[in-house]
Amino acid sequence: MKIVIAGAGKMGMAAARQLCREGHDLTLIDQRQDRVDSAVNSMDVIGCCGSCAAPETLKEAAAGHSDLFIAATGSDEANLIACQLARKMGARHAVSLLRNPAYIQSAELLKETMHLSFSLHPDYVTAEEISRVLQFPAAIRVESFPDCEMEIVTFKIEENSKLTGVPLHKLWTKFGQKILICCVEREDAVQIPRGDFVLRTGDRISVTGLPGALRRFFKAAGSYKKPVRNVILLGGSRSAVHLTRLLESTGVDVTIIEQNSARCQALAELLKDTSIHCADGTNTAVLQEYGISRADGFVALTGFDEDNIILGLYAGKAGVGKVISKVNNTKFEELLRDIFPDTTLSPQELVAERISGYVRGLDHASEKSTIEALYYLGDRRVAATEFIVGAKAACTGTALKDLPISGGVLLASVIRGGKSFLPDGQTVLQPGDRVIVVSANRTIVELDEILSASGKSV
Amino acid sequence: MNYKAVGNILGKVLLAEAALLLLPLAAAVVFRESVLPYLYTMLLLLLLGGGLNALKPASSHLFAREGFVCVGLSWVLMSAFGALPFVFSGDIPNYADALFETVSGFTTTGASILPNPELLSRGCMFWRLFTHWVGGMGVLVFIAAILPVSGDHYIHIMRAEVPGPTVSKLVPRVRKTARILYLIYFGLTLMECLLLMLGKMCFYEALLHSFATAGTGGFSTRAESIGAFHSAYIEMVIACFMLLFGCNFNLFYLILLGQGAAAARSEELHVYLGVIAVSVAVIAANIARLCGGGLPALRYAFFQVMTVLSTTGFSTCDFDAWPELSRWVLVLLMFIGGCAGSTGGGMKVSRIILLTKSYFAELKRMIHPTQVKRIWFENRPVGEQTVMSVHVFFFVYLLATGLGALVLSLDGKDLTTNLTASIACISNVGPGLSLVGPTGNYAFFSVPSKLVLCFEMLLGRLEIFPMLFLLTPSVWRKR
C-alpha cells in the first residue's frame, strides 16, 4: 500500500518503522531536513522536506495518489489541515493524530467534517492501556480483542510460584481452569510452547482464556493480585488526565504529583475530586509524604524516561504492588527488561500498533480472511492477530489436528456465534468464525499462512 | 566495519556475474566456439561467490562506510574475474591487458588495447560489449532489482554506485526503484537495437552496439568503430541514443508517469542541450572546410560531440586530425560528461552547474560581504554540504587526472598523449588525442601505466570516493 506519513518525529517514525517492516511503500514528510535524512538513511522509504500543510509539499510527496495519509506532526491543526488537503487531492484514507482534549471530545464530528478515516489520540490510547494493566496487576500486559471475551495476559513467573516445574499438558488437571499458554519468553528467545514444555521461574508467559478463568487460574497459581485501589501518578501530562478519569470512573483513588504550579492549577480545574499536589516527585521524601507506602499502584508519566525508570524502581522497592513507567525511547527495551521487573509502556509503540492494525484491516480484506486486530505481546517478536475466517480459506472444514499447522503458530481462541472457546484438536473452523492466532518471530497477514512456513519475519 | 555483511553482498555480486556470463556462453554456442573459457570462469565465480554468499552477518546494518567499500570492492572483483574469459580463450593472453579491457568495459570507458578487435572470437566480443551494458547502470543496482536484499540500508550502496552529486530514489522502495531504472534501460536499449536493424545492421552487431551505446561505453565490433558502416542513418541513430543515455534517468521516469512537462523544465537538461548546441556549432564551423561543406561538417560534429560529451567514445572519423580549436572543445567536453543519474561519465553537468553558480555566489559575497544568498538548483536551495562536496570532488578529480598523467609520463610519450589518456580514462570516454586518438589504442603503455589507468577508470565510474576509501586505512578498522 502507498502510505504517506507527515511528521518524522517520535510518533511518525515508530509508525513508519512498523509499516515499512510490513512491506508498505512509505513517503515521509518533515519540515526538518535532518530528520528526513536520518529516516531515509535507516529505512527503505523516500523523504520529502517541507510543511505537510502546504499543497506543494503534499504534491511532491504524491499524497493524492496514496492509499493512506497519516498526519503525525506535533500540531493538531497542521495534522487536520494536512489530512483535509490530502483527502481533497485524492488520498483514499486519512488518519490524524490529535492531542488536544477538546478535539478528542469532538472526535466524531471532526471525523465527519474533516473526512478522516479515524483520529488517534496518543494520550488517550496510553491512558487506556495503563488502566487496563492496573485492573489486572499481576500482568505485565493485558490484551483484549474486539467482540471477544478472551483476553491475553502476559506475566512473569516469580520465584516459588506454583507454576514452576509444571509441564503444560498437566496445567488443566492441576489448576482446573481452561486456559492456554500461548507463548513463552525465556531469556532472549521467544517460543510457542508444546505440551511437554516445562515452566521455569523467570519465564514471561502469555496466557489466553476467559477473564474469570484467568483470574481463578492466577489465584490457584498463587500469582493473583487484587486490582489496585490507590494509585499515585507522577507527572500531570494529558495522558494523566485521561487516566485519572478512567480510573476514577471505576472507583480508584488517584493522587497526582506535578512539579509545575500552573499545570497543577489547570489540573485542578479539569479534575475536581482528585488530590493534586504541587511538588517535585523525584524527591523521595515527597513520595513518602503523599503516601507511597499506602499506594498499591504507581504510574510514572513524566517527560523523562530516566526519571520514570528510576522512580519506578524505587516505588517497586518501596512495596507498591503495581508499577508502570512510560518509556519513550524503546531502543533499550531489551536492557530494560533485565532491570525493570514491572510494566513499561511506550506511547508511540502503542500508536504504531493501532495504525498498523488498521492498515492490515484495509490491506488484507480478502475472500480468505480479514484481519480485525493485531497486538504484540510484550516483546515485538510475538504477534496476536484476530482474523475473520473467509469463505475461501483453506483451513476450514478439517479438524485442526489433521491440518499441517506450521511451528511457531498457535490458535489461541475461536469465537463462534458470540461465544468464545479454546480450540482443541477436534475443532473444525467454519467461515465466519473469528480466530486469534499467536505467532512467534513472524507476523501473519493471511489466515492461511498458518498452514505453511511463509510468514514475514518480524 | 561489518565485514560479513560486505562479504555477503560481494558474494551476491560474483554470483550475479556468473549468471551474466551465461549470455556470452550462449553466443559461443550459437557461433560454435569453445564454451570452456566461460565455464571455467563461472566455476570460479560460483565457488568464491557461493562461499561469500554463505556468510551470515550478525546484523545486516550497512552504513555509509560499508556502502562505499561494498561498491569499490565489487567493481574491483568483478573486473578481476571478468578478465578471465579473455585469458582462457587466448584472445588476450596477457592478464594485465585483459584486465585493462575488462575494466574499460565495466566502467563504460571503451579504451582498448586491441589494435584490431575484429580478430576476437565472437563469444569474447559479446562479453566485451556486454560488460558496457552491465557497467552502465551498475551491477549493485541490478542486484537490488532481482535479489531479495534488505532495503533499509541499501540506499548507501545505491548512492555510491549511481552517479551524481545527490542520489534519491524514484519510489519508496529501493527494489522498485532499481527495477524501474533497469526497465527504462532495457527498453531504450531494445529500441535502439530495432532502429539500428532498420538501418541494415545485422542483429548481432545491432545488439552489441546498443549495449555499447546504452552503457555509454564505446567498444565496437569494428576496427573503424561506427565509421565502418558508412551510413549517416546509423550514425544519427547512435548519436541520438548517446544523447538520451547521457540524460538523467529520472526524466524518463517522469515522462513515463505522464509528467513530461516537469521533465522538460529540468535545469540540468537545458544546460546539457545548450552545451551540445554550442559545441556542435563551434566545431562544425571550424571543420566545415576540412569536410567539404556544412552538412557533412554538422554530421561529424554532432556525432563526435555526442560521443565525447556522453563519454561513449565511438568514432566516425579521425578527430585527432581536426584543427586545434575543435580538439580542445572535445577535451573540455570530456571533463563535463553526461547528466547526473545517467550512464555517462565525466564530472556530470549538474556538478559543473553547481560549481559555476558557487563561483558567482562567491563573487557576490566578496563584493557584498553581508549579503546572504543560497545557491539554487532545479528550483530548490542546495545544502552547503552538497556544494562543499562538489568542490572537493572537483579538486580530487583534477588531482587524480594530473597525477595519472604524471605516472604515464614515465613511459616517455608526449604530453598530449599522456594528458588526454588520463582525462579520457577518468572521464570514461575512451579515445583521447595523439597516440591514444580514435585511430590509436592503449596497447603501447607499460603494465604499471595500464594499472594506473584501470584505477583511474574505476575512480571516474564510481565518482572517486568508493575507490579512495579502499585505500584509506581508517575505513578498514573494525569500529
Side-chain angles (χ1 to χ4, degrees):
Chain A
M1 225 179 357
K2 282 191 191 132
I3 301 176
V4 176
I5 299 182
K10 280 184 294 199
M11 292 285 168
M13 284 296 274
R17 260 192 299 275
Q18 176 67 22
L19 294 171
C20 185
R21 205 163 25 200
E22 289 174 16
H24 299 288
D25 287 352
L26 292 187
T27 308
L28 280 174
I29 303 177
D30 200 283
Q31 262 174 321
R32 277 167 49 185
Q33 185 69 48
D34 56 324
R35 282 182 173 183
V36 173
D37 289 344
S38 84
V40 170
N41 286 340
S42 62
M43 281 185 280
D44 201 1
V45 301
I46 45 178
C48 172
C49 185
S51 161
C52 68
E56 307 94 76
T57 320
L58 292 177
K59 212 166 156 193
E60 196 190 324
H65 302 285
S66 64
D67 298 306
L68 174 63
F69 182 87
I70 301 169
T73 71
S75 153
D76 288 352
E77 291 74 17
N79 286 348
L80 286 171
I81 291 176
C83 279
Q84 212 169 8
L85 283 174
R87 289 280 287 140
K88 198 90 196 158
M89 291 168 116
R92 281 179 42 220
H93 300 274
V95 173
S96 173
L97 258 60
L98 295 177
R99 319 288 304 241
N100 189 338
Y103 296 156
I104 300 178
Q105 278 154 19
S106 53
E108 277 307 307
L109 189 67
L110 278 177
K111 191 173 138 182
E112 219 165 278
T113 49
M114 300 285 189
H115 310 289
L116 300 176
S117 303
F118 74 103
S119 57
L120 250 179
H121 318 291
D123 306 308
Y124 190 74
V125 169
T126 313
E128 235 179 9
E129 181 78 16
I130 293 174
S131 93
R132 197 138 32 114
V133 177
L134 287 175
Q135 307 287 328
F136 211 135
I140 295 166
R141 274 192 89 169
V142 181
E143 302 294 354
S144 62
F145 291 83
D147 306 321
C148 169
E149 302 152 71
M150 296 280 185
E151 280 181 342
I152 298 187
V153 174
T154 306
F155 74 105
K156 189 173 176 179
I157 301 184
E158 306 287 347
E159 266 178 65
N160 34 16
S161 159
K162 287 181 196 157
L163 291 172
T164 307
V166 179
L168 295 193
H169 60 88
K170 291 212 177 125
L171 276 180
W172 286 20
T173 47
K174 186 159 181 198
F175 296 104
Q177 296 301 330
K178 279 198 107 184
I179 50 95
L180 190 64
I181 298 199
C182 48
C183 104
V184 178
E185 294 170 56
R186 179 173 289 176
E187 277 135 27
D188 279 340
V190 172
Q191 50 187 315
I192 305 267
R194 296 162 166 282
D196 50 1
F197 189 88
V198 180
L199 295 170
R200 251 200 253 157
T201 305
D203 287 351
R204 281 180 173 222
I205 60 174
S206 298
V207 190
T208 340
L210 294 166
L214 281 173
R215 223 145 266 155
R216 285 191 295 275
F217 168 71
F218 273 82
K219 270 188 188 144
S223 312
Y224 183 73
K225 292 179 192 164
K226 269 194 246 155
V228 296
R229 309 304 314 159
N230 190 341
V231 177
I232 294 184
L233 293 189
L234 201 62
S237 60
R238 277 183 295 235
S239 36
V241 177
H242 294 301
L243 179 59
T244 309
R245 288 196 177 129
L246 285 171
L247 290 176
E248 287 183 342
S249 71
T250 60
V252 178
D253 268 344
V254 180
T255 305
I256 297 182
I257 301 178
E258 160 68 44
Q259 217 174 353
N260 183 323
S261 61
R263 180 65 193 159
C264 283
Q265 290 295 331
L267 285 175
E269 245 169 68
L270 290 166
L271 305 163
K272 205 167 93 219
D273 303 321
T274 317
S275 72
I276 295 160
H277 298 284
C278 182
D280 180 5
T282 59
N283 185 344
T284 51
V286 169
L287 292 178
Q288 293 292 351
E289 189 182 344
Y290 298 120
I292 195 160
S293 48
R294 290 194 308 278
D296 50 10
F298 180 86
V299 184
L301 287 172
T302 75
F304 300 97
D305 287 358
E306 299 83 348
D307 284 351
N308 291 344
I309 292 166
I310 295 289
L311 290 164
L313 288 172
Y314 172 76
K317 280 268 179 296
V320 178
K322 182 69 200 171
V323 177
I324 300 175
S325 289
K326 183 185 89 168
V327 178
N328 277 325
N329 188 348
T330 48
K331 304 226 169 70
F332 301 112
E333 208 171 77
E334 297 220 343
L335 196 70
L336 257 183
R337 217 176 22 199
D338 293 337
I339 58 166
F340 201 84
D342 230 318
T343 307
T344 54
L345 283 177
S346 139
Q348 60 263 35
E349 294 298 329
L350 291 173
V351 166
E353 225 167 79
R354 294 286 168 102
I355 291 178
S356 100
Y358 172 71
V359 169
R360 279 147 183 276
L362 283 183
D363 209 18
H364 292 282
S366 70
E367 291 197 313
K368 290 179 177 166
S369 58
T370 310
I371 292 194
E372 280 288 291
L374 163 100
Y375 295 108
Y376 288 97
L377 303 179
D379 192 289
R380 302 191 70 69
R381 287 172 296 183
V382 183
T385 320
E386 183 180 4
F387 291 96
I388 299 180
V389 182
K392 297 208 170 152
C395 51
T396 51
T398 315
L400 288 181
K401 66 173 163 44
D402 297 328
L403 280 173
I405 292 179
S406 62
V409 173
L410 178 124
L411 289 186
S413 67
V414 178
I415 305 106
R416 185 175 296 158
K419 293 217 93 133
S420 310
F421 60 93
L422 295 174
D424 53 30
Q426 310 302 327
T427 308
V428 180
L429 293 183
Q430 296 168 2
D433 283 354
R434 288 160 174 265
V435 293
I436 294 172
V437 178
V438 176
S439 55
N441 300 317
R442 62 192 183 119
T443 318
I444 290 190
V445 293
E446 182 86 70
L447 182 56
D448 282 347
E449 280 177 36
I450 63 171
L451 297 179
S452 60
S454 64
K456 285 182 185 165
S457 61
V458 190
Chain B
M1 186 75 175
N2 191 341
Y3 285 104
K4 280 193 177 165
V6 172
N8 184 282
I9 300 252
L10 290 179
K12 290 194 166 71
V13 169
L14 296 180
L15 291 180
E17 191 178 13
L20 292 171
L21 271 166
L22 284 172
L23 284 167
L25 187 128
V29 170
V30 170
F31 293 111
R32 294 165 198 285
E33 290 168 356
S34 165
V35 294
L36 289 177
Y38 313 104
L39 282 182
Y40 288 148
T41 315
M42 282 162 80
L43 191 69
L44 284 174
L45 284 168
L46 288 178
L47 281 177
L48 185 66
L52 284 172
N53 191 40
L55 285 178
K56 289 279 169 282
S59 89
S60 61
H61 277 255
L62 291 171
F63 298 101
R65 176 162 74 158
E66 279 89 357
F68 281 123
V69 169
C70 257
V71 172
L73 276 182
S74 299
W75 281 70
V76 171
L77 282 181
M78 225 168 52
S79 309
F81 281 95
L84 293 177
F86 297 116
V87 179
F88 290 155
S89 66
D91 281 331
I92 309 178
N94 181 335
Y95 183 76
D97 282 351
L99 183 69
F100 184 91
E101 200 75 8
T102 316
V103 171
S104 167
F106 277 126
T107 58
T108 72
T109 307
S112 181
I113 44 85
L114 295 170
N116 186 3
E118 290 172 32
L119 301 175
L120 279 182
S121 65
R122 297 282 191 103
C124 273
M125 179 61 93
F126 188 97
W127 177 233
R128 178 171 173 258
L129 274 83
F130 187 56
T131 51
H132 278 333
W133 199 79
V134 175
M137 191 53 85
V139 74
L140 286 147
V141 176
F142 180 65
I143 283 174
I146 56 162
L147 293 179
V149 288
S150 150
D152 287 355
H153 304 279
Y154 210 82
I155 184 74
H156 293 298
I157 292 181
M158 280 277 279
R159 278 207 195 110
E161 193 174 45
V162 176
T166 52
V167 172
S168 56
K169 293 185 265 185
L170 303 170
V171 292
R173 293 279 168 184
V174 160
R175 167 168 241 207
K176 281 189 194 156
T177 303
R179 282 194 180 160
I180 291 169
L181 286 175
Y182 259 95
L183 271 181
I184 294 172
Y185 194 45
F186 188 80
L188 283 173
T189 312
L190 201 69
M191 225 182 324
E192 183 186 352
C193 182
L194 292 176
L195 284 172
L196 286 180
M197 282 166 74
L198 283 181
K200 308 232 159 39
M201 208 189 254
C202 71
F203 170 69
Y204 174 71
E205 280 189 304
L207 184 66
L208 292 189
H209 281 105
S210 304
F211 285 157
T213 321
T216 67
F219 281 150
S220 170
T221 52
R222 307 288 184 104
E224 297 163 70
S225 191
I226 307 301
F229 295 96
H230 301 291
S231 156
Y233 170 79
I234 287 178
E235 282 172 30
M236 284 308 111
V237 168
I238 291 185
C240 289
F241 273 93
M242 288 194 285
L243 191 150
L244 289 179
F245 285 112
C247 289
N248 192 333
F249 275 49
N250 291 11
L251 301 184
F252 299 130
Y253 180 62
L254 282 178
I255 291 170
L256 282 183
L257 287 183
Q259 299 174 12
R265 277 197 299 272
S266 159
E267 202 177 334
E268 188 177 24
L269 182 69
H270 295 168
V271 175
Y272 178 64
L273 295 177
V275 168
I276 294 172
V278 172
S279 323
V280 170
V282 169
I283 294 181
N286 193 234
I287 61 168
R289 198 173 306 151
L290 195 79
C291 302
L295 265 183
L298 271 178
R299 167 180 157 188
Y300 289 123
F302 180 53
F303 190 90
Q304 281 322 314
V305 164
M306 276 335 300
T307 193
V308 170
L309 186 65
S310 72
T311 72
T312 308
F314 286 136
S315 60
T316 50
C317 59
D318 184 8
F319 54 78
D320 194 35
W322 284 359
E324 262 331 280
L325 173 68
S326 302
R327 289 173 69 194
W328 259 111
V329 170
L330 290 179
V331 170
L332 290 179
L333 292 183
M334 285 184 188
F335 274 118
I336 298 177
C339 298
S342 70
T343 59
M347 279 196 260
K348 306 290 167 322
V349 176
S350 56
R351 284 206 182 86
I352 301 292
I353 298 174
L354 284 176
L355 283 169
T356 317
K357 285 190 172 173
S358 81
Y359 160 71
F360 283 112
E362 186 63 14
L363 274 192
K364 259 196 200 131
R365 203 187 57 80
M366 287 167 101
I367 302 167
H368 308 288
T370 52
Q371 193 178 22
V372 178
K373 261 227 141 49
R374 284 289 284 274
I375 295 172
W376 283 65
F377 179 54
E378 303 283 13
N379 257 328
R380 44 182 81 240
V382 182
E384 292 286 319
Q385 203 58 51
T386 311
V387 178
M388 185 66 201
S389 74
V390 168
H391 283 263
V392 173
F393 178 88
F394 181 70
F395 167 71
V396 183
Y397 202 91
L398 291 187
L399 187 74
T401 313
L403 290 180
L406 183 80
V407 177
L408 298 186
S409 68
L410 292 174
D411 285 354
K413 299 292 184 283
D414 64 297
L415 179 71
T416 316
T417 304
N418 294 334
L419 196 60
T420 54
S422 186
I423 298 173
C425 281
I426 201 166
S427 293
N428 301 146
V429 179
L433 297 177
S434 193
L435 293 178
V436 291
T439 54
N441 62 63
Y442 286 75
F444 60 83
F445 279 116
S446 64
V447 171
S449 298
K450 279 177 188 155
L451 291 180
V452 166
L453 288 173
C454 282
F455 186 71
E456 277 194 60
M457 290 190 267
L458 287 169
L459 270 185
R461 169 60 182 85
L462 301 180
E463 307 214 301
I464 309 283
F465 296 108
M467 289 309 288
L468 286 189
F469 279 126
L470 293 186
L471 304 179
T472 313
S474 66
V475 168
W476 295 96
R477 269 183 220 134
K478 271 238 150 184
R479 277 251 172 249

